Amino acid sequence: MPEYFERYINAVGEVELSQAFAESIRQLELLDKNLLSRLGDKRYAAGKWTIKEIFQHLIDWERILSYRALLFARCKGAASQNLDENLLASNMNAERRSIDGLIDELKTARASARAMFESFDEKLLLNTGICWKYEISVLAMGFTIVGHQAHHLKIVEEKYCRLPNP
């Protein structure tokens, strides 16, 4: 398991990737959008992200990680461009968005990622590439995508409000 990404991968249960994607979408569908809307612009501490910013971050990285997985699937051994996550975050404009819109966009991005991963055969899922400074397989990228959501929703639950279990 690639160092650094293990915290996301370990956040996903012992399930097949297709089931992990399905459960992650179901988790998004169960969210209380009214409650999250009331909390959307609040910060649990100075310098921490709002709930809106957390969801925008998930959307942005869903797309980035999906692109990287596609790159590794198609170009075995490829290296992805490094990105400054703080620079990305400083330009997200999440405060202008609604929770409904953010969650709907995340569900759309997740459904797209799920379809892409379902199109990969076993050979492509085992291809690897360099993400940041670590070698990682396409399959592990899929679990990283799902686990990234689980990681951030756990923060929402611990710092903001109780979330329903999928």
Side-chain angles (χ1 to χ4, degrees), residues 133-166:
K133 58 184 180 180
Y134 301 105
E135 183 175 24
I136 187 169
S137 71
V138 174
L139 180 61
M141 289 293 291
F143 283 105
T144 298
I145 289 169
V146 173
H148 185 243
Q149 173 182 303
H151 167 78
H152 283 289
L153 290 183
K154 183 178 179 188
I155 292 170
V156 169
E157 184 164 53
E158 290 174 353
K159 302 296 183 180
Y160 291 98
C161 63
R162 180 98 174 108
L163 297 175
N165 290 325

PDB file of all heavy atoms in Angstrom, residues 133-166:
ATOM      1  N   LYS A 133       4.904  11.686  -4.913  1.00  0.00           N
ATOM      2  CA  LYS A 133       6.218  11.021  -4.971  1.00  0.00           C
ATOM      3  C   LYS A 133       6.102   9.521  -4.730  1.00  0.00           C
ATOM      4  O   LYS A 133       7.095   8.845  -4.492  1.00  0.00           O
ATOM      5  CB  LYS A 133       7.172  11.655  -3.965  1.00  0.00           C
ATOM      6  CG  LYS A 133       6.705  11.612  -2.534  1.00  0.00           C
ATOM      7  CD  LYS A 133       7.676  12.355  -1.617  1.00  0.00           C
ATOM      8  CE  LYS A 133       7.188  12.309  -0.184  1.00  0.00           C
ATOM      9  NZ  LYS A 133       8.098  13.003   0.710  1.00  0.00           N
ATOM     10  N   TYR A 134       4.885   9.002  -4.822  1.00  0.00           N
ATOM     11  CA  TYR A 134       4.645   7.595  -4.514  1.00  0.00           C
ATOM     12  C   TYR A 134       4.098   6.845  -5.718  1.00  0.00           C
ATOM     13  O   TYR A 134       3.252   7.351  -6.448  1.00  0.00           O
ATOM     14  CB  TYR A 134       3.652   7.466  -3.355  1.00  0.00           C
ATOM     15  CG  TYR A 134       4.128   8.145  -2.101  1.00  0.00           C
ATOM     16  CD1 TYR A 134       3.580   9.355  -1.691  1.00  0.00           C
ATOM     17  CD2 TYR A 134       5.148   7.596  -1.332  1.00  0.00           C
ATOM     18  CE1 TYR A 134       4.029   9.990  -0.544  1.00  0.00           C
ATOM     19  CE2 TYR A 134       5.603   8.222  -0.187  1.00  0.00           C
ATOM     20  CZ  TYR A 134       5.041   9.424   0.201  1.00  0.00           C
ATOM     21  OH  TYR A 134       5.496  10.049   1.336  1.00  0.00           O
ATOM     22  N   GLU A 135       4.569   5.614  -5.880  1.00  0.00           N
ATOM     23  CA  GLU A 135       4.001   4.747  -6.906  1.00  0.00           C
ATOM     24  C   GLU A 135       2.685   4.198  -6.374  1.00  0.00           C
ATOM     25  O   GLU A 135       2.591   3.768  -5.223  1.00  0.00           O
ATOM     26  CB  GLU A 135       4.951   3.595  -7.230  1.00  0.00           C
ATOM     27  CG  GLU A 135       4.425   2.717  -8.349  1.00  0.00           C
ATOM     28  CD  GLU A 135       5.407   1.635  -8.763  1.00  0.00           C
ATOM     29  OE1 GLU A 135       6.262   1.255  -7.944  1.00  0.00           O
ATOM     30  OE2 GLU A 135       5.297   1.179  -9.902  1.00  0.00           O
ATOM     31  N   ILE A 136       1.656   4.233  -7.215  1.00  0.00           N
ATOM     32  CA  ILE A 136       0.330   3.790  -6.800  1.00  0.00           C
ATOM     33  C   ILE A 136      -0.368   3.157  -8.000  1.00  0.00           C
ATOM     34  O   ILE A 136      -0.195   3.605  -9.139  1.00  0.00           O
ATOM     35  CB  ILE A 136      -0.488   4.966  -6.209  1.00  0.00           C
ATOM     36  CG1 ILE A 136      -1.826   4.489  -5.620  1.00  0.00           C
ATOM     37  CG2 ILE A 136      -0.671   6.083  -7.213  1.00  0.00           C
ATOM     38  CD1 ILE A 136      -2.557   5.548  -4.796  1.00  0.00           C
ATOM     39  N   SER A 137      -1.158   2.124  -7.747  1.00  0.00           N
ATOM     40  CA  SER A 137      -1.896   1.460  -8.830  1.00  0.00           C
ATOM     41  C   SER A 137      -3.199   2.208  -9.101  1.00  0.00           C
ATOM     42  O   SER A 137      -3.698   2.969  -8.264  1.00  0.00           O
ATOM     43  CB  SER A 137      -2.201   0.009  -8.454  1.00  0.00           C
ATOM     44  OG  SER A 137      -3.189  -0.038  -7.428  1.00  0.00           O
ATOM     45  N   VAL A 138      -3.742   1.946 -10.259  1.00  0.00           N
ATOM     46  CA  VAL A 138      -5.044   2.513 -10.625  1.00  0.00           C
ATOM     47  C   VAL A 138      -6.099   2.051  -9.619  1.00  0.00           C
ATOM     48  O   VAL A 138      -6.923   2.853  -9.160  1.00  0.00           O
ATOM     49  CB  VAL A 138      -5.419   2.115 -12.069  1.00  0.00           C
ATOM     50  CG1 VAL A 138      -6.834   2.560 -12.414  1.00  0.00           C
ATOM     51  CG2 VAL A 138      -4.410   2.690 -13.054  1.00  0.00           C
ATOM     52  N   LEU A 139      -6.057   0.774  -9.259  1.00  0.00           N
ATOM     53  CA  LEU A 139      -7.011   0.245  -8.280  1.00  0.00           C
ATOM     54  C   LEU A 139      -6.897   1.003  -6.949  1.00  0.00           C
ATOM     55  O   LEU A 139      -7.914   1.403  -6.372  1.00  0.00           O
ATOM     56  CB  LEU A 139      -6.771  -1.249  -8.065  1.00  0.00           C
ATOM     57  CG  LEU A 139      -7.700  -1.949  -7.074  1.00  0.00           C
ATOM     58  CD1 LEU A 139      -9.155  -1.875  -7.531  1.00  0.00           C
ATOM     59  CD2 LEU A 139      -7.263  -3.397  -6.885  1.00  0.00           C
ATOM     60  N   ALA A 140      -5.678   1.211  -6.480  1.00  0.00           N
ATOM     61  CA  ALA A 140      -5.487   1.951  -5.233  1.00  0.00           C
ATOM     62  C   ALA A 140      -5.973   3.392  -5.366  1.00  0.00           C
ATOM     63  O   ALA A 140      -6.492   3.970  -4.410  1.00  0.00           O
ATOM     64  CB  ALA A 140      -4.018   1.912  -4.818  1.00  0.00           C
ATOM     65  N   MET A 141      -5.853   3.970  -6.554  1.00  0.00           N
ATOM     66  CA  MET A 141      -6.381   5.324  -6.782  1.00  0.00           C
ATOM     67  C   MET A 141      -7.901   5.333  -6.595  1.00  0.00           C
ATOM     68  O   MET A 141      -8.453   6.275  -6.032  1.00  0.00           O
ATOM     69  CB  MET A 141      -6.021   5.825  -8.185  1.00  0.00           C
ATOM     70  CG  MET A 141      -4.556   6.144  -8.380  1.00  0.00           C
ATOM     71  SD  MET A 141      -3.974   7.558  -7.432  1.00  0.00           S
ATOM     72  CE  MET A 141      -4.818   8.888  -8.264  1.00  0.00           C
ATOM     73  N   GLY A 142      -8.565   4.284  -7.059  1.00  0.00           N
ATOM     74  CA  GLY A 142     -10.018   4.204  -6.873  1.00  0.00           C
ATOM     75  C   GLY A 142     -10.391   4.188  -5.404  1.00  0.00           C
ATOM     76  O   GLY A 142     -11.294   4.910  -4.965  1.00  0.00           O
ATOM     77  N   PHE A 143      -9.692   3.372  -4.634  1.00  0.00           N
ATOM     78  CA  PHE A 143      -9.968   3.329  -3.196  1.00  0.00           C
ATOM     79  C   PHE A 143      -9.574   4.642  -2.518  1.00  0.00           C
ATOM     80  O   PHE A 143     -10.207   5.063  -1.553  1.00  0.00           O
ATOM     81  CB  PHE A 143      -9.269   2.138  -2.539  1.00  0.00           C
ATOM     82  CG  PHE A 143      -9.972   0.833  -2.783  1.00  0.00           C
ATOM     83  CD1 PHE A 143      -9.470  -0.080  -3.690  1.00  0.00           C
ATOM     84  CD2 PHE A 143     -11.150   0.536  -2.117  1.00  0.00           C
ATOM     85  CE1 PHE A 143     -10.126  -1.284  -3.922  1.00  0.00           C
ATOM     86  CE2 PHE A 143     -11.821  -0.668  -2.342  1.00  0.00           C
ATOM     87  CZ  PHE A 143     -11.309  -1.576  -3.253  1.00  0.00           C
ATOM     88  N   THR A 144      -8.547   5.302  -3.037  1.00  0.00           N
ATOM     89  CA  THR A 144      -8.150   6.609  -2.502  1.00  0.00           C
ATOM     90  C   THR A 144      -9.262   7.630  -2.719  1.00  0.00           C
ATOM     91  O   THR A 144      -9.569   8.415  -1.815  1.00  0.00           O
ATOM     92  CB  THR A 144      -6.837   7.079  -3.159  1.00  0.00           C
ATOM     93  OG1 THR A 144      -5.802   6.148  -2.841  1.00  0.00           O
ATOM     94  CG2 THR A 144      -6.446   8.466  -2.686  1.00  0.00           C
ATOM     95  N   ILE A 145      -9.871   7.613  -3.885  1.00  0.00           N
ATOM     96  CA  ILE A 145     -10.960   8.544  -4.182  1.00  0.00           C
ATOM     97  C   ILE A 145     -12.104   8.353  -3.191  1.00  0.00           C
ATOM     98  O   ILE A 145     -12.599   9.315  -2.593  1.00  0.00           O
ATOM     99  CB  ILE A 145     -11.448   8.364  -5.639  1.00  0.00           C
ATOM    100  CG1 ILE A 145     -10.388   8.890  -6.616  1.00  0.00           C
ATOM    101  CG2 ILE A 145     -12.789   9.054  -5.869  1.00  0.00           C
ATOM    102  CD1 ILE A 145     -10.646   8.524  -8.071  1.00  0.00           C
ATOM    103  N   VAL A 146     -12.527   7.116  -3.007  1.00  0.00           N
ATOM    104  CA  VAL A 146     -13.632   6.830  -2.087  1.00  0.00           C
ATOM    105  C   VAL A 146     -13.218   7.150  -0.649  1.00  0.00           C
ATOM    106  O   VAL A 146     -13.973   7.759   0.111  1.00  0.00           O
ATOM    107  CB  VAL A 146     -14.088   5.359  -2.222  1.00  0.00           C
ATOM    108  CG1 VAL A 146     -15.121   5.007  -1.157  1.00  0.00           C
ATOM    109  CG2 VAL A 146     -14.645   5.102  -3.618  1.00  0.00           C
ATOM    110  N   GLY A 147     -12.008   6.778  -0.274  1.00  0.00           N
ATOM    111  CA  GLY A 147     -11.529   7.016   1.078  1.00  0.00           C
ATOM    112  C   GLY A 147     -11.314   8.478   1.390  1.00  0.00           C
ATOM    113  O   GLY A 147     -11.466   8.914   2.537  1.00  0.00           O
ATOM    114  N   HIS A 148     -10.988   9.266   0.375  1.00  0.00           N
ATOM    115  CA  HIS A 148     -10.832  10.711   0.567  1.00  0.00           C
ATOM    116  C   HIS A 148     -12.155  11.316   1.031  1.00  0.00           C
ATOM    117  O   HIS A 148     -12.189  12.133   1.956  1.00  0.00           O
ATOM    118  CB  HIS A 148     -10.339  11.345  -0.739  1.00  0.00           C
ATOM    119  CG  HIS A 148     -10.042  12.795  -0.636  1.00  0.00           C
ATOM    120  ND1 HIS A 148     -10.742  13.734  -1.356  1.00  0.00           N
ATOM    121  CD2 HIS A 148      -9.126  13.478   0.108  1.00  0.00           C
ATOM    122  CE1 HIS A 148     -10.260  14.930  -1.079  1.00  0.00           C
ATOM    123  NE2 HIS A 148      -9.282  14.802  -0.193  1.00  0.00           N
ATOM    124  N   GLN A 149     -13.254  10.889   0.409  1.00  0.00           N
ATOM    125  CA  GLN A 149     -14.576  11.346   0.848  1.00  0.00           C
ATOM    126  C   GLN A 149     -14.843  10.892   2.280  1.00  0.00           C
ATOM    127  O   GLN A 149     -15.288  11.686   3.111  1.00  0.00           O
ATOM    128  CB  GLN A 149     -15.667  10.813  -0.072  1.00  0.00           C
ATOM    129  CG  GLN A 149     -17.079  11.126   0.436  1.00  0.00           C
ATOM    130  CD  GLN A 149     -18.144  10.546  -0.456  1.00  0.00           C
ATOM    131  OE1 GLN A 149     -18.182  10.839  -1.645  1.00  0.00           O
ATOM    132  NE2 GLN A 149     -19.024   9.725   0.101  1.00  0.00           N
ATOM    133  N   ALA A 150     -14.586   9.627   2.571  1.00  0.00           N
ATOM    134  CA  ALA A 150     -14.828   9.097   3.924  1.00  0.00           C
ATOM    135  C   ALA A 150     -14.031   9.885   4.960  1.00  0.00           C
ATOM    136  O   ALA A 150     -14.546  10.222   6.032  1.00  0.00           O
ATOM    137  CB  ALA A 150     -14.472   7.617   3.981  1.00  0.00           C
ATOM    138  N   HIS A 151     -12.783  10.187   4.639  1.00  0.00           N
ATOM    139  CA  HIS A 151     -11.912  10.958   5.540  1.00  0.00           C
ATOM    140  C   HIS A 151     -12.521  12.327   5.861  1.00  0.00           C
ATOM    141  O   HIS A 151     -12.616  12.727   7.020  1.00  0.00           O
ATOM    142  CB  HIS A 151     -10.536  11.110   4.880  1.00  0.00           C
ATOM    143  CG  HIS A 151      -9.649  12.117   5.523  1.00  0.00           C
ATOM    144  ND1 HIS A 151      -8.954  11.865   6.684  1.00  0.00           N
ATOM    145  CD2 HIS A 151      -9.345  13.395   5.160  1.00  0.00           C
ATOM    146  CE1 HIS A 151      -8.254  12.935   7.016  1.00  0.00           C
ATOM    147  NE2 HIS A 151      -8.466  13.870   6.103  1.00  0.00           N
ATOM    148  N   HIS A 152     -12.955  13.028   4.828  1.00  0.00           N
ATOM    149  CA  HIS A 152     -13.488  14.382   5.050  1.00  0.00           C
ATOM    150  C   HIS A 152     -14.883  14.373   5.669  1.00  0.00           C
ATOM    151  O   HIS A 152     -15.203  15.260   6.470  1.00  0.00           O
ATOM    152  CB  HIS A 152     -13.431  15.199   3.767  1.00  0.00           C
ATOM    153  CG  HIS A 152     -12.052  15.690   3.480  1.00  0.00           C
ATOM    154  ND1 HIS A 152     -11.444  16.679   4.210  1.00  0.00           N
ATOM    155  CD2 HIS A 152     -11.138  15.301   2.560  1.00  0.00           C
ATOM    156  CE1 HIS A 152     -10.224  16.896   3.764  1.00  0.00           C
ATOM    157  NE2 HIS A 152     -10.008  16.056   2.753  1.00  0.00           N
ATOM    158  N   LEU A 153     -15.697  13.391   5.349  1.00  0.00           N
ATOM    159  CA  LEU A 153     -17.010  13.318   5.998  1.00  0.00           C
ATOM    160  C   LEU A 153     -16.863  12.954   7.473  1.00  0.00           C
ATOM    161  O   LEU A 153     -17.677  13.375   8.299  1.00  0.00           O
ATOM    162  CB  LEU A 153     -17.930  12.345   5.267  1.00  0.00           C
ATOM    163  CG  LEU A 153     -18.409  12.821   3.894  1.00  0.00           C
ATOM    164  CD1 LEU A 153     -19.378  11.815   3.281  1.00  0.00           C
ATOM    165  CD2 LEU A 153     -19.038  14.208   3.941  1.00  0.00           C
ATOM    166  N   LYS A 154     -15.823  12.220   7.809  1.00  0.00           N
ATOM    167  CA  LYS A 154     -15.547  11.942   9.219  1.00  0.00           C
ATOM    168  C   LYS A 154     -15.203  13.238   9.955  1.00  0.00           C
ATOM    169  O   LYS A 154     -15.637  13.452  11.086  1.00  0.00           O
ATOM    170  CB  LYS A 154     -14.408  10.923   9.340  1.00  0.00           C
ATOM    171  CG  LYS A 154     -14.112  10.518  10.761  1.00  0.00           C
ATOM    172  CD  LYS A 154     -13.021   9.468  10.817  1.00  0.00           C
ATOM    173  CE  LYS A 154     -12.743   9.108  12.269  1.00  0.00           C
ATOM    174  NZ  LYS A 154     -11.573   8.243  12.379  1.00  0.00           N
ATOM    175  N   ILE A 155     -14.448  14.098   9.309  1.00  0.00           N
ATOM    176  CA  ILE A 155     -14.135  15.408   9.900  1.00  0.00           C
ATOM    177  C   ILE A 155     -15.412  16.219  10.085  1.00  0.00           C
ATOM    178  O   ILE A 155     -15.616  16.836  11.138  1.00  0.00           O
ATOM    179  CB  ILE A 155     -13.115  16.172   9.036  1.00  0.00           C
ATOM    180  CG1 ILE A 155     -11.760  15.462   9.091  1.00  0.00           C
ATOM    181  CG2 ILE A 155     -12.994  17.636   9.485  1.00  0.00           C
ATOM    182  CD1 ILE A 155     -10.735  15.974   8.095  1.00  0.00           C
ATOM    183  N   VAL A 156     -16.287  16.223   9.077  1.00  0.00           N
ATOM    184  CA  VAL A 156     -17.562  16.938   9.199  1.00  0.00           C
ATOM    185  C   VAL A 156     -18.330  16.401  10.398  1.00  0.00           C
ATOM    186  O   VAL A 156     -18.856  17.171  11.209  1.00  0.00           O
ATOM    187  CB  VAL A 156     -18.398  16.814   7.899  1.00  0.00           C
ATOM    188  CG1 VAL A 156     -19.831  17.315   8.113  1.00  0.00           C
ATOM    189  CG2 VAL A 156     -17.727  17.574   6.760  1.00  0.00           C
ATOM    190  N   GLU A 157     -18.384  15.077  10.532  1.00  0.00           N
ATOM    191  CA  GLU A 157     -19.124  14.471  11.633  1.00  0.00           C
ATOM    192  C   GLU A 157     -18.493  14.796  12.985  1.00  0.00           C
ATOM    193  O   GLU A 157     -19.201  15.111  13.945  1.00  0.00           O
ATOM    194  CB  GLU A 157     -19.215  12.960  11.442  1.00  0.00           C
ATOM    195  CG  GLU A 157     -20.058  12.292  12.502  1.00  0.00           C
ATOM    196  CD  GLU A 157     -20.461  10.895  12.117  1.00  0.00           C
ATOM    197  OE1 GLU A 157     -19.562  10.099  11.782  1.00  0.00           O
ATOM    198  OE2 GLU A 157     -21.671  10.608  12.142  1.00  0.00           O
ATOM    199  N   GLU A 158     -17.191  14.735  13.075  1.00  0.00           N
ATOM    200  CA  GLU A 158     -16.517  14.985  14.346  1.00  0.00           C
ATOM    201  C   GLU A 158     -16.527  16.455  14.750  1.00  0.00           C
ATOM    202  O   GLU A 158     -16.602  16.781  15.931  1.00  0.00           O
ATOM    203  CB  GLU A 158     -15.058  14.505  14.271  1.00  0.00           C
ATOM    204  CG  GLU A 158     -14.934  12.995  14.227  1.00  0.00           C
ATOM    205  CD  GLU A 158     -13.501  12.534  13.995  1.00  0.00           C
ATOM    206  OE1 GLU A 158     -12.603  13.382  13.742  1.00  0.00           O
ATOM    207  OE2 GLU A 158     -13.270  11.316  14.068  1.00  0.00           O
ATOM    208  N   LYS A 159     -16.467  17.357  13.780  1.00  0.00           N
ATOM    209  CA  LYS A 159     -16.311  18.776  14.099  1.00  0.00           C
ATOM    210  C   LYS A 159     -17.586  19.605  13.924  1.00  0.00           C
ATOM    211  O   LYS A 159     -17.687  20.695  14.478  1.00  0.00           O
ATOM    212  CB  LYS A 159     -15.212  19.389  13.232  1.00  0.00           C
ATOM    213  CG  LYS A 159     -13.860  18.709  13.371  1.00  0.00           C
ATOM    214  CD  LYS A 159     -13.317  18.869  14.771  1.00  0.00           C
ATOM    215  CE  LYS A 159     -11.932  18.255  14.872  1.00  0.00           C
ATOM    216  NZ  LYS A 159     -11.355  18.374  16.193  1.00  0.00           N
ATOM    217  N   TYR A 160     -18.547  19.101  13.149  1.00  0.00           N
ATOM    218  CA  TYR A 160     -19.720  19.902  12.832  1.00  0.00           C
ATOM    219  C   TYR A 160     -21.047  19.247  13.262  1.00  0.00           C
ATOM    220  O   TYR A 160     -21.843  19.864  13.926  1.00  0.00           O
ATOM    221  CB  TYR A 160     -19.771  20.215  11.340  1.00  0.00           C
ATOM    222  CG  TYR A 160     -18.690  21.158  10.874  1.00  0.00           C
ATOM    223  CD1 TYR A 160     -17.536  20.671  10.274  1.00  0.00           C
ATOM    224  CD2 TYR A 160     -18.806  22.532  11.065  1.00  0.00           C
ATOM    225  CE1 TYR A 160     -16.536  21.528   9.854  1.00  0.00           C
ATOM    226  CE2 TYR A 160     -17.812  23.393  10.636  1.00  0.00           C
ATOM    227  CZ  TYR A 160     -16.675  22.893  10.048  1.00  0.00           C
ATOM    228  OH  TYR A 160     -15.685  23.738   9.636  1.00  0.00           O
ATOM    229  N   CYS A 161     -21.303  18.050  12.790  1.00  0.00           N
ATOM    230  CA  CYS A 161     -22.624  17.446  13.052  1.00  0.00           C
ATOM    231  C   CYS A 161     -22.598  15.946  12.804  1.00  0.00           C
ATOM    232  O   CYS A 161     -21.778  15.442  12.050  1.00  0.00           O
ATOM    233  CB  CYS A 161     -23.677  18.094  12.154  1.00  0.00           C
ATOM    234  SG  CYS A 161     -23.403  17.842  10.383  1.00  0.00           S
ATOM    235  N   ARG A 162     -23.525  15.263  13.404  1.00  0.00           N
ATOM    236  CA  ARG A 162     -23.698  13.812  13.218  1.00  0.00           C
ATOM    237  C   ARG A 162     -24.231  13.558  11.816  1.00  0.00           C
ATOM    238  O   ARG A 162     -25.174  14.209  11.369  1.00  0.00           O
ATOM    239  CB  ARG A 162     -24.678  13.292  14.272  1.00  0.00           C
ATOM    240  CG  ARG A 162     -24.946  11.832  14.186  1.00  0.00           C
ATOM    241  CD  ARG A 162     -24.070  11.083  15.201  1.00  0.00           C
ATOM    242  NE  ARG A 162     -24.433   9.694  15.218  1.00  0.00           N
ATOM    243  CZ  ARG A 162     -23.643   8.749  14.705  1.00  0.00           C
ATOM    244  NH1 ARG A 162     -22.481   9.051  14.195  1.00  0.00           N
ATOM    245  NH2 ARG A 162     -24.024   7.496  14.742  1.00  0.00           N
ATOM    246  N   LEU A 163     -23.633  12.580  11.114  1.00  0.00           N
ATOM    247  CA  LEU A 163     -24.084  12.208   9.771  1.00  0.00           C
ATOM    248  C   LEU A 163     -24.716  10.830   9.806  1.00  0.00           C
ATOM    249  O   LEU A 163     -24.327   9.992  10.618  1.00  0.00           O
ATOM    250  CB  LEU A 163     -22.895  12.203   8.799  1.00  0.00           C
ATOM    251  CG  LEU A 163     -22.191  13.542   8.579  1.00  0.00           C
ATOM    252  CD1 LEU A 163     -20.975  13.355   7.690  1.00  0.00           C
ATOM    253  CD2 LEU A 163     -23.134  14.557   7.986  1.00  0.00           C
ATOM    254  N   PRO A 164     -25.673  10.571   8.916  1.00  0.00           N
ATOM    255  CA  PRO A 164     -26.278   9.237   8.866  1.00  0.00           C
ATOM    256  C   PRO A 164     -25.298   8.206   8.350  1.00  0.00           C
ATOM    257  O   PRO A 164     -24.446   8.503   7.519  1.00  0.00           O
ATOM    258  CB  PRO A 164     -27.465   9.416   7.903  1.00  0.00           C
ATOM    259  CG  PRO A 164     -27.112  10.594   7.084  1.00  0.00           C
ATOM    260  CD  PRO A 164     -26.235  11.482   7.933  1.00  0.00           C
ATOM    261  N   ASN A 165     -25.408   6.987   8.839  1.00  0.00           N
ATOM    262  CA  ASN A 165     -24.581   5.894   8.339  1.00  0.00           C
ATOM    263  C   ASN A 165     -25.197   5.356   7.056  1.00  0.00           C
ATOM    264  O   ASN A 165     -26.421   5.228   6.972  1.00  0.00           O
ATOM    265  CB  ASN A 165     -24.504   4.761   9.369  1.00  0.00           C
ATOM    266  CG  ASN A 165     -23.682   5.168  10.574  1.00  0.00           C
ATOM    267  OD1 ASN A 165     -22.711   5.898  10.457  1.00  0.00           O
ATOM    268  ND2 ASN A 165     -24.079   4.698  11.739  1.00  0.00           N
ATOM    269  N   PRO A 166     -24.342   5.026   6.054  1.00  0.00           N
ATOM    270  CA  PRO A 166     -24.896   4.493   4.794  1.00  0.00           C
ATOM    271  C   PRO A 166     -25.459   3.101   4.969  1.00  0.00           C
ATOM    272  O   PRO A 166     -25.176   2.394   5.869  1.00  0.00           O
ATOM    273  CB  PRO A 166     -23.693   4.478   3.853  1.00  0.00           C
ATOM    274  CG  PRO A 166     -22.482   4.629   4.697  1.00  0.00           C
ATOM    275  CD  PRO A 166     -22.926   5.173   6.031  1.00  0.00           C
TER     276      PRO A 166
END
